[in-house]
Amino acid sequence: MADLQTDVRYIKGIGEKKAQALNKLGIYTLYDLVSYFPRRYEDRSQYKPIALTQDGESVCICALIANTPQLSRVRRGLDLVRFKAVDESGEVNITFFNQSYVKDNLQKGESYVFYGKIEVNGTRRSMTNPVYEREGMENRVTGRIVPIYRLSAGLNQRLLMQSIRQGLDSCGGLLPEVLPETVRERNQLVQARYAYENIHFPADFGTLELARRRLVFEELFVLACALGRIRGERVRDGGIPVRDADLEEFWMTLPFSPTGAQRRAVEQAVAEMRSGAVMNRLVQGDVGSGKTLVAAALIWYVWKSGLGSAFMAPTEILAEQHYETLSRMLSPFGLHVGKLTGAMSAKEKRAVKAALEQGELDLIIGTHALFSADVAYQNLGLVVTDEQHRFGVEQRAALIGKAGRPHVLVMSATPIPRTLALIIYGDLDVSVIDELPPGRKKVDTFTVDESYRARLNAFIRKLIGEGRQVFVVCPMVEENVELPENLKSAEEHAKELQRSFPDLHVACVHGRMKPKEKDAVMAAFLSGEAQILVATTVIEVGVDVPNAALMIIENAERFGLSQLHQLRGRVGRGQHKSYCVLVSDATGEDVKARLSILCKTNDGFRIAEEDLRLRGPGDFFGSRQHGLPATHIADLGGDVEVLQRAQGEANRLLESDPQMLAPENAALRESVERIFHQSSDSFN
Ligand code: ADP
Ligand code: MG
């Protein structure tokens, strides 16, 4: 008897070979298989008489094969099978390319259901490479709503669909009911078995929606329970003692006064550390809200108690920047500041590690390298991680485990709506910096289409003439993906700009470059050597180029609002009037509505709320910027109402059964455990 952890290769109808192909998709167990949800669906439930089909339409036709299918070889590597099919209304010419085997599967005089795209030429209709089933036998790939899955080599839709069908059949009654009965009833959610069946093979769109809602709810609920449990288990007592110090002494040395929000965040953190608790605090603030200063104040504060700090940045270049900023602020007090990055020579690294081990440094700034096995700390009191969304929950844990139980401050530049923050940062206390330093100029934002290209180039020319620099961002292009018409790839676009501005230095940075190469390009832009930087979203993380005054975002419709806001935050960091231009040829009303929000407000939190409202939580979870384990919701979508309900129910359950020990919560507990298990896998 199978259980959900059964290796897929032992499932009836799936052999060694198919199992290997499934493994490539991350499918190892029966559970993985049935939880491999479709990416989208094709509505093949509509039948039409041939004569009523229209050019370009994808439909099912039910037709009889009128002549013997003929195989012809056009040339090496190109075979055709051709025949005519008829129904009472008309006829259609059907052609298969390079599928010579269909000749033997299809018989003259028999009726089949064909699903494919119709082409009409005069009065002649044709269909190429349709999927087909014998009439009366349909209901797998035709005559219904058909799931479309993401594939790997060695699999096609039909094979994968069959495997999943087999998986569902082997599951029988095994699929656990993770949701407690009361939760299911209160929220009108269908049963697990029904949901899994219909997410793959929906009877109709209504059923699909019921299945989807249930599964999205379940996933968010389990996630919320998992993070809620971490929060519950967090040991708060026994924090490293920190003595009282007068913060004014630090504030006084600044060239400006801290904003009220900065003060508040620092005071909240100080109060917590002073209380004897272990601090685990997230500082959330919009781009440019001055989070670095909050960290600096706290580093100074623990230093007054003789404690050291470690500051972790997600990239080399950010580590460099923070090293400079923090050294400038803190060295005058006599703090010894060091850095540890991958770019340093082995000798330099050894020296820094030795200094750390001897307790000679009060602050060390670096990348992940800070927490590699051979780095030992003395007296570590505070760990700061910047741009936290790039680090995972488990990395957070690893880093805390490194040296006793230091206080932890994480800083996130991605404003997240409160509802989501509760789930994503469920294990942290949160301070919000909801105020920008005074005198910040609003970044003027415009949406334009391709017809503005010449004017846009003139604008680039004008700003660069005034000594400014320009960022241009293109959407990330996955490798091996053919570019749809009009979609700008960073490299192509950089070449184009270089042709338009032959006298300027146009640099380009994208995700496929090695970290060292990336850093070199960023450094060239930072130094002003390059005037235009074309980039994919790798620049999103907080690099500070005060001289950049124009941010151009190509194919803006491809980005989420919050992401656009993040990108826009790269400019307007200096004293210069700054602009953001969103280039998009998309004409859809929803796209226009989305982009216009950005033109109207500079408030990251408002934008995030709007984004969540318009796109649902799936995109937030799908972006993987939060470091949570991979979810399926990104594929399933899901709305805010479901999110709120799931969060509410999770809290309610954890209140009465924090460890999920009650027998009726056993399946839930198992799912929660699976989340931790999965995420520690992906971390290692
Ligand atoms: P972020 O929150 O995006 O990390 P930073 O910490 O990089 O923001 O700060 C952005 C800029 O604002 C820096 O140049 C910093 O010196 C400046 N800044 C920070 N706090 C204040 C303040 N209270 N008054 C004026 N300028 C400030
Ligand atoms: Mg920052």
Side-chain angles (χ1 to χ4, degrees):
M1 179 65 187
D3 69 32
L4 287 175
Q5 295 311 311
T6 303
D7 192 314
V8 280
R9 68 171 48 100
Y10 302 125
I11 295 167
K12 189 165 162 282
I14 301 179
E16 189 68 35
K17 228 174 111 204
K18 259 198 240 170
Q20 276 175 15
L22 290 171
N23 290 168
K24 281 198 205 119
L25 294 171
I27 301 172
Y28 296 92
T29 64
L30 178 54
Y31 179 80
D32 296 338
L33 181 63
V34 297
S35 323
Y36 193 78
F37 300 137
R39 191 160 53 87
R40 60 186 179 85
Y41 300 85
E42 239 170 53
D43 185 0
R44 301 184 190 165
S45 59
Q46 308 302 318
Y47 288 79
K48 271 197 178 175
I50 293 173
L52 295 185
T53 59
Q54 290 172 11
D55 190 34
E57 179 179 30
S58 294
V59 286
C60 287
I61 54 170
C62 183
L64 178 118
I65 298 186
N67 55 4
T68 307
Q70 293 298 321
L71 172 65
S72 55
R73 165 160 292 193
V74 180
R75 55 177 157 78
R76 228 179 116 101
L78 182 58
D79 294 333
L80 299 184
V81 175
R82 269 192 281 214
F83 55 88
K84 192 174 298 229
V86 297
D87 69 6
E88 282 152 14
S89 72
E91 61 176 55
V92 58
N93 292 308
I94 296 185
T95 309
F96 286 90
F97 286 98
N98 289 339
Q99 299 179 42
S100 48
Y101 58 87
V102 303
K103 179 176 167 298
D104 303 322
N105 293 350
L106 293 167
Q107 253 101 54
K108 179 184 167 191
E110 299 283 343
S111 286
Y112 297 83
V113 177
F114 297 95
Y115 172 83
K117 195 174 189 177
I118 291 279
E119 270 175 67
V120 183
N121 207 334
T123 55
R124 290 164 55 86
R125 292 185 152 74
S126 58
M127 202 182 239
T128 309
N129 292 343
V131 292
Y132 60 90
E133 282 167 324
R134 201 178 274 252
E135 191 196 359
M137 309 276 277
E138 72 260 30
N139 204 26
R140 290 249 178 211
V141 293
T142 64
R144 59 171 308 149
I145 299 168
V146 174
I148 308 290
Y149 299 95
R150 201 173 292 115
L151 294 175
S152 69
L155 278 176
N156 58 35
Q157 292 294 347
R158 205 185 267 248
L159 280 176
L160 185 52
M161 205 189 313
Q162 270 166 12
S163 303
I164 286 174
R165 182 67 264 162
Q166 244 115 23
L168 284 170
D169 293 342
S170 313
C171 275
L174 284 175
L175 280 166
E177 190 48 79
V178 172
L179 298 177
E181 185 84 28
T182 48
V183 172
R184 226 164 39 71
E185 279 171 7
R186 255 200 305 273
N187 298 283
Q188 290 152 7
L189 301 165
V190 299
Q191 290 182 9
R193 170 77 223 183
Y194 183 89
Y196 277 90
E197 181 65 37
N198 284 287
I199 199 75
H200 291 292
F201 304 109
D204 53 53
F205 283 105
T207 321
L208 174 60
E209 180 51 28
L210 288 177
R212 192 192 63 84
R213 184 167 187 276
R214 142 83 203 210
L215 291 165
V216 169
F217 187 102
E218 174 177 325
E219 189 157 43
L220 291 169
F221 177 74
V222 171
L223 200 54
C225 287
L227 290 164
R229 202 185 70 177
I230 306 185
R231 183 172 43 210
E233 278 176 1
R234 221 176 84 194
V235 188
R236 287 169 191 268
D237 303 336
I240 298 169
V242 175
R243 283 195 300 273
D244 193 19
D246 184 4
L247 275 165
E248 285 311 318
E249 205 185 308
F250 176 76
W251 297 137
M252 256 171 44
T253 63
L254 298 178
F256 42 71
S257 349
T259 62
Q262 284 169 323
R263 264 181 201 278
R264 206 162 43 243
V266 171
E267 279 158 15
Q268 282 168 343
V270 161
E272 202 171 1
M273 292 192 290
R274 297 263 305 120
S275 74
V278 185
M279 178 176 77
N280 255 300
R281 183 164 290 275
L282 170 77
V283 174
Q284 249 209 91
D286 213 340
V287 269
S289 60
K291 294 181 287 290
T292 318
L293 183 61
V294 172
L298 294 175
I299 291 166
W300 176 87
Y301 197 93
V302 302
W303 170 74
K304 293 291 271 185
S305 288
L307 296 167
S309 298
F311 189 116
M312 180 153 79
T315 64
E316 301 264 324
I317 190 121
L318 271 174
E320 280 299 332
Q321 271 194 353
H322 284 310
Y323 175 72
E324 272 161 38
T325 318
L326 291 168
S327 298
R328 207 174 332 114
M329 276 194 241
L330 296 166
S331 305
F333 290 100
L335 271 87
H336 295 278
V337 185
K339 66 174 171 184
L340 187 60
T341 68
M344 286 160 58
S345 73
K347 195 172 153 201
E348 288 170 317
K349 283 186 208 162
R350 260 200 311 279
V352 173
K353 285 175 196 168
L356 270 175
E357 206 160 340
Q358 298 299 313
E360 284 164 14
L361 293 177
D362 302 305
L363 169 61
I364 178 80
I365 296 157
T367 50
H368 296 74
L370 284 185
F371 294 90
S372 64
D374 61 342
V375 182
Y377 291 91
Q378 293 288 328
N379 268 340
L380 187 61
L382 174 66
V383 172
V384 182
T385 68
D386 189 22
E387 310 294 342
Q388 182 275 337
H389 54 287
R390 302 277 156 151
F391 301 110
V393 175
E394 319 76 34
Q395 272 165 306
R396 235 143 65 196
L399 151 177
I400 296 162
K402 184 82 191 168
R405 301 210 339 260
H407 300 289
V408 174
L409 185 75
V410 292
M411 304 197 291
S412 165
T414 314
I416 290 178
R418 196 184 306 279
T419 37
L420 270 185
L422 270 173
I423 289 193
I424 294 182
Y425 299 122
D427 58 328
L428 300 169
D429 298 310
V430 180
S431 296
V432 174
I433 308 192
D434 49 4
E435 180 185 354
L436 292 182
R440 243 346 119 68
K441 292 188 207 77
K442 179 171 166 290
V443 176
D444 283 345
T445 306
F446 310 92
T447 306
V448 304
D449 59 29
E450 203 52 47
S451 67
Y452 282 74
R453 186 62 66 189
R455 267 179 280 177
L456 187 53
N457 281 350
F459 191 49
I460 294 177
R461 176 62 79 186
K462 171 172 171 282
L463 284 178
I464 290 178
E466 291 167 8
R468 302 288 78 77
Q469 285 167 285
V470 178
F471 277 117
V472 182
V473 175
C474 300
M476 193 83 80
V477 177
E478 283 167 46
E479 235 163 318
N480 307 326
V481 171
E482 252 182 73
L483 281 188
E485 199 74 28
N486 307 328
L487 186 60
K488 302 268 181 196
S489 95
E491 275 166 315
E492 283 306 309
H493 193 55
K495 282 188 200 135
E496 213 174 283
L497 278 169
Q498 187 67 76
R499 279 193 293 273
S500 306
F501 301 100
D503 55 321
L504 300 180
H505 181 161
V506 180
C508 178
V509 61
H510 55 77
R512 264 167 284 161
M513 291 163 80
K514 297 200 185 75
K516 273 221 166 93
E517 296 172 332
K518 266 188 227 170
D519 283 342
V521 175
M522 290 307 288
F525 189 61
L526 205 50
S527 72
E529 187 189 319
Q531 293 91 0
I532 301 179
L533 179 68
V534 183
T536 52
T537 42
V538 291
I539 58 153
E540 193 184 331
V541 159
V543 177
D544 210 355
V545 186
N547 194 42
L550 172 59
M551 165 64 69
I552 297 171
I553 303 173
E554 299 288 340
N555 298 105
E557 74 283 353
R558 315 261 309 179
F559 296 87
L561 276 188
S562 294
Q563 205 178 8
L564 289 171
H565 177 64
Q566 283 294 305
L567 290 168
R568 173 169 66 179
R570 297 305 108 217
V571 297
R573 308 196 127 217
Q575 71 272 37
H576 312 291
K577 172 78 201 150
S578 299
Y579 307 87
C580 175
V581 179
L582 308 171
V583 185
S584 175
D585 271 349
T587 47
E589 282 308 311
D590 47 337
V591 174
K592 286 190 177 159
R594 264 179 355 103
L595 296 182
S596 77
I597 293 169
L598 223 63
C599 301
K600 275 184 235 141
T601 178
N602 270 268
D603 177 344
F605 284 95
R606 252 208 64 201
I607 289 168
E609 298 275 356
E610 285 291 319
D611 206 13
L612 178 63
R613 195 176 61 74
L614 290 172
R615 303 204 304 168
D619 280 301
F620 282 84
F621 288 99
S623 69
R624 298 232 61 195
Q625 294 205 338
H626 42 70
L628 286 177
T631 56
H632 296 115
I633 329 177
D635 292 343
L636 294 179
D639 56 32
V640 182
E641 181 254 358
V642 175
L643 175 73
Q644 282 167 332
R645 280 172 168 270
Q647 176 67 48
E649 290 289 357
N651 289 346
R652 190 162 167 169
L653 182 131
L654 289 175
E655 240 165 63
S656 64
D657 184 11
Q659 300 291 326
M660 295 166 265
L661 293 173
E664 69 270 22
N665 294 334
L668 170 63
R669 188 185 160 87
E670 225 169 86
S671 285
V672 163
E673 235 112 75
R674 201 176 293 126
I675 282 196
F676 288 120
H677 183 69
Q678 274 169 6
S679 49
S680 59
D681 282 355
S682 61
F683 178 51
N684 289 328

